[in-house]
Short mmCIF file of all heavy atoms in Angstrom, two decimals:
data_model
loop_
_atom_site.label_atom_id
_atom_site.label_comp_id
_atom_site.label_asym_id
_atom_site.label_seq_id
_atom_site.Cartn_x
_atom_site.Cartn_y
_atom_site.Cartn_z
N ASN A 440 -64.47 -21.58 75.97
CA ASN A 440 -63.34 -21.19 75.12
C ASN A 440 -62.48 -22.44 74.92
O ASN A 440 -62.84 -23.53 75.36
CB ASN A 440 -62.53 -20.06 75.75
CG ASN A 440 -62.05 -20.38 77.15
OD1 ASN A 440 -61.59 -21.49 77.43
ND2 ASN A 440 -62.15 -19.41 78.06
N ASN A 441 -61.36 -22.27 74.23
CA ASN A 441 -60.54 -23.44 73.89
C ASN A 441 -59.92 -24.12 75.11
O ASN A 441 -59.43 -25.25 75.00
CB ASN A 441 -59.42 -23.02 72.93
CG ASN A 441 -59.97 -22.63 71.56
OD1 ASN A 441 -61.03 -23.10 71.16
ND2 ASN A 441 -59.25 -21.78 70.86
N LEU A 442 -59.94 -23.43 76.25
CA LEU A 442 -59.33 -24.00 77.46
C LEU A 442 -60.35 -24.68 78.37
O LEU A 442 -59.97 -25.31 79.35
CB LEU A 442 -58.60 -22.90 78.24
CG LEU A 442 -57.47 -22.18 77.48
CD1 LEU A 442 -56.89 -21.07 78.36
CD2 LEU A 442 -56.39 -23.16 77.07
N ARG A 443 -61.63 -24.56 78.03
CA ARG A 443 -62.67 -25.14 78.89
C ARG A 443 -63.18 -26.46 78.32
O ARG A 443 -63.26 -26.64 77.10
CB ARG A 443 -63.85 -24.17 79.03
CG ARG A 443 -63.53 -22.89 79.78
CD ARG A 443 -64.81 -22.18 80.17
NE ARG A 443 -64.56 -20.92 80.85
CZ ARG A 443 -65.50 -20.23 81.48
NH1 ARG A 443 -66.74 -20.68 81.53
NH2 ARG A 443 -65.20 -19.09 82.08
N THR A 444 -63.52 -27.38 79.22
CA THR A 444 -64.16 -28.62 78.80
C THR A 444 -65.67 -28.39 78.69
O THR A 444 -66.20 -27.41 79.22
CB THR A 444 -63.88 -29.75 79.80
OG1 THR A 444 -64.50 -29.40 81.07
CG2 THR A 444 -62.38 -29.92 80.01
N ASN A 445 -66.35 -29.32 78.04
CA ASN A 445 -67.80 -29.17 77.83
C ASN A 445 -68.57 -29.07 79.14
O ASN A 445 -69.64 -28.44 79.19
CB ASN A 445 -68.34 -30.33 77.00
CG ASN A 445 -68.05 -30.16 75.52
OD1 ASN A 445 -67.60 -29.09 75.10
ND2 ASN A 445 -68.31 -31.18 74.73
N HIS A 446 -68.04 -29.64 80.21
CA HIS A 446 -68.75 -29.59 81.50
C HIS A 446 -68.77 -28.18 82.09
O HIS A 446 -69.57 -27.90 83.00
CB HIS A 446 -68.09 -30.53 82.51
CG HIS A 446 -68.26 -31.98 82.19
ND1 HIS A 446 -67.39 -32.67 81.36
CD2 HIS A 446 -69.21 -32.88 82.57
CE1 HIS A 446 -67.79 -33.92 81.25
NE2 HIS A 446 -68.89 -34.09 81.97
N GLN A 447 -67.94 -27.29 81.55
CA GLN A 447 -67.75 -25.99 82.18
C GLN A 447 -68.55 -24.85 81.54
O GLN A 447 -68.37 -23.71 81.93
CB GLN A 447 -66.26 -25.64 82.18
CG GLN A 447 -65.41 -26.59 83.02
CD GLN A 447 -63.93 -26.29 82.91
OE1 GLN A 447 -63.34 -26.35 81.83
NE2 GLN A 447 -63.31 -25.96 84.02
N PHE A 448 -69.39 -25.12 80.57
CA PHE A 448 -70.22 -24.06 79.99
C PHE A 448 -71.54 -24.64 79.50
O PHE A 448 -71.67 -25.85 79.28
CB PHE A 448 -69.49 -23.32 78.87
CG PHE A 448 -68.99 -24.18 77.75
CD1 PHE A 448 -69.74 -24.36 76.59
CD2 PHE A 448 -67.77 -24.82 77.84
CE1 PHE A 448 -69.29 -25.15 75.56
CE2 PHE A 448 -67.29 -25.62 76.81
CZ PHE A 448 -68.05 -25.78 75.66
N THR A 449 -72.53 -23.78 79.35
CA THR A 449 -73.91 -24.22 79.10
C THR A 449 -74.05 -25.04 77.83
O THR A 449 -74.60 -26.15 77.84
CB THR A 449 -74.83 -22.99 79.02
OG1 THR A 449 -74.72 -22.24 80.23
CG2 THR A 449 -76.27 -23.43 78.81
N LEU A 450 -73.58 -24.51 76.70
CA LEU A 450 -73.72 -25.25 75.44
C LEU A 450 -72.94 -26.56 75.49
O LEU A 450 -73.36 -27.55 74.87
CB LEU A 450 -73.24 -24.40 74.27
CG LEU A 450 -74.11 -23.19 73.90
CD1 LEU A 450 -73.51 -22.44 72.73
CD2 LEU A 450 -75.53 -23.64 73.54
N GLY A 451 -71.83 -26.57 76.20
CA GLY A 451 -71.06 -27.81 76.34
C GLY A 451 -71.85 -28.87 77.09
O GLY A 451 -71.84 -30.05 76.71
N ARG A 452 -72.52 -28.46 78.16
CA ARG A 452 -73.35 -29.42 78.90
C ARG A 452 -74.52 -29.90 78.04
O ARG A 452 -74.91 -31.08 78.13
CB ARG A 452 -73.85 -28.78 80.19
CG ARG A 452 -72.73 -28.54 81.23
CD ARG A 452 -73.26 -28.10 82.56
NE ARG A 452 -73.74 -26.73 82.52
CZ ARG A 452 -72.99 -25.66 82.74
NH1 ARG A 452 -71.70 -25.81 83.00
NH2 ARG A 452 -73.50 -24.44 82.70
N ASN A 453 -75.06 -29.00 77.21
CA ASN A 453 -76.12 -29.42 76.29
C ASN A 453 -75.60 -30.45 75.29
O ASN A 453 -76.29 -31.42 74.95
CB ASN A 453 -76.67 -28.21 75.53
CG ASN A 453 -77.45 -27.26 76.43
OD1 ASN A 453 -77.84 -27.62 77.54
ND2 ASN A 453 -77.66 -26.04 75.97
N LEU A 454 -74.37 -30.23 74.83
CA LEU A 454 -73.77 -31.19 73.90
C LEU A 454 -73.57 -32.55 74.55
O LEU A 454 -73.76 -33.59 73.91
CB LEU A 454 -72.42 -30.64 73.39
CG LEU A 454 -72.49 -29.54 72.34
CD1 LEU A 454 -71.12 -28.87 72.15
CD2 LEU A 454 -72.97 -30.10 71.00
N ILE A 455 -73.17 -32.53 75.82
CA ILE A 455 -73.00 -33.80 76.53
C ILE A 455 -74.33 -34.55 76.61
O ILE A 455 -74.40 -35.77 76.37
CB ILE A 455 -72.45 -33.55 77.95
CG1 ILE A 455 -71.00 -33.05 77.88
CG2 ILE A 455 -72.52 -34.82 78.79
CD1 ILE A 455 -70.43 -32.61 79.21
N ASP A 456 -75.41 -33.82 76.92
CA ASP A 456 -76.74 -34.44 77.00
C ASP A 456 -77.16 -35.01 75.65
O ASP A 456 -77.70 -36.13 75.58
CB ASP A 456 -77.78 -33.41 77.47
CG ASP A 456 -77.59 -33.02 78.93
OD1 ASP A 456 -76.93 -33.79 79.65
OD2 ASP A 456 -78.07 -31.95 79.32
N VAL A 457 -76.92 -34.26 74.58
CA VAL A 457 -77.30 -34.74 73.25
C VAL A 457 -76.49 -35.97 72.87
O VAL A 457 -77.01 -36.94 72.29
CB VAL A 457 -77.12 -33.62 72.20
CG1 VAL A 457 -77.33 -34.16 70.78
CG2 VAL A 457 -78.10 -32.49 72.45
N ASP A 458 -75.19 -35.97 73.20
CA ASP A 458 -74.35 -37.13 72.91
C ASP A 458 -74.88 -38.37 73.63
O ASP A 458 -74.87 -39.48 73.06
CB ASP A 458 -72.91 -36.86 73.33
CG ASP A 458 -72.14 -36.05 72.31
OD1 ASP A 458 -72.51 -36.10 71.11
OD2 ASP A 458 -71.17 -35.36 72.68
N LYS A 459 -75.33 -38.21 74.85
CA LYS A 459 -75.88 -39.34 75.59
C LYS A 459 -77.16 -39.85 74.92
O LYS A 459 -77.37 -41.08 74.81
CB LYS A 459 -76.18 -38.94 77.04
CG LYS A 459 -74.93 -38.70 77.88
CD LYS A 459 -75.30 -38.28 79.29
CE LYS A 459 -74.04 -38.05 80.14
NZ LYS A 459 -74.38 -37.58 81.51
N GLN A 460 -78.01 -38.92 74.48
CA GLN A 460 -79.24 -39.32 73.77
C GLN A 460 -78.91 -40.04 72.47
O GLN A 460 -79.56 -41.02 72.11
CB GLN A 460 -80.10 -38.09 73.48
CG GLN A 460 -80.65 -37.41 74.73
CD GLN A 460 -81.45 -36.16 74.39
OE1 GLN A 460 -82.39 -36.23 73.59
NE2 GLN A 460 -81.07 -35.03 74.97
N ILE A 461 -77.88 -39.54 71.77
CA ILE A 461 -77.47 -40.17 70.51
C ILE A 461 -76.97 -41.59 70.77
O ILE A 461 -77.32 -42.54 70.04
CB ILE A 461 -76.38 -39.34 69.81
CG1 ILE A 461 -76.99 -38.04 69.25
CG2 ILE A 461 -75.71 -40.13 68.68
CD1 ILE A 461 -75.97 -37.09 68.67
N ASP A 462 -76.18 -41.77 71.82
CA ASP A 462 -75.67 -43.10 72.15
C ASP A 462 -76.81 -44.06 72.46
O ASP A 462 -76.82 -45.21 72.00
CB ASP A 462 -74.71 -43.02 73.35
CG ASP A 462 -73.41 -42.34 73.00
OD1 ASP A 462 -73.08 -42.25 71.79
OD2 ASP A 462 -72.70 -41.89 73.93
N ARG A 463 -77.78 -43.58 73.25
CA ARG A 463 -78.93 -44.44 73.59
C ARG A 463 -79.74 -44.78 72.34
O ARG A 463 -80.18 -45.92 72.18
CB ARG A 463 -79.80 -43.75 74.64
CG ARG A 463 -79.16 -43.66 76.02
CD ARG A 463 -80.19 -43.32 77.09
NE ARG A 463 -80.76 -42.00 76.89
CZ ARG A 463 -80.28 -40.88 77.43
NH1 ARG A 463 -79.20 -40.95 78.21
NH2 ARG A 463 -80.85 -39.72 77.21
N MET A 464 -79.95 -43.78 71.50
CA MET A 464 -80.72 -44.00 70.28
C MET A 464 -80.01 -44.98 69.35
O MET A 464 -80.64 -45.88 68.77
CB MET A 464 -80.95 -42.67 69.57
CG MET A 464 -81.77 -42.77 68.28
SD MET A 464 -83.47 -43.29 68.57
CE MET A 464 -84.12 -41.84 69.40
N GLN A 465 -78.69 -44.82 69.21
CA GLN A 465 -77.94 -45.74 68.35
C GLN A 465 -78.00 -47.16 68.87
O GLN A 465 -78.11 -48.12 68.09
CB GLN A 465 -76.49 -45.27 68.24
CG GLN A 465 -76.31 -44.01 67.39
CD GLN A 465 -74.88 -43.51 67.38
OE1 GLN A 465 -74.15 -43.70 68.36
NE2 GLN A 465 -74.49 -42.85 66.29
#
Side-chain angles (χ1 to χ4, degrees):
N440 56 42
N441 291 333
L442 301 177
R443 293 195 183 192
T444 64
N445 281 350
H446 291 87
Q447 296 175 300
F448 56 95
T449 302
L450 290 180
R452 290 188 288 272
N453 291 344
L454 284 168
I455 291 173
D456 291 340
V457 172
D458 279 334
K459 290 179 179 177
Q460 294 178 54
I461 289 174
D462 290 342
R463 289 195 296 268
M464 181 66 69
Q465 288 176 330

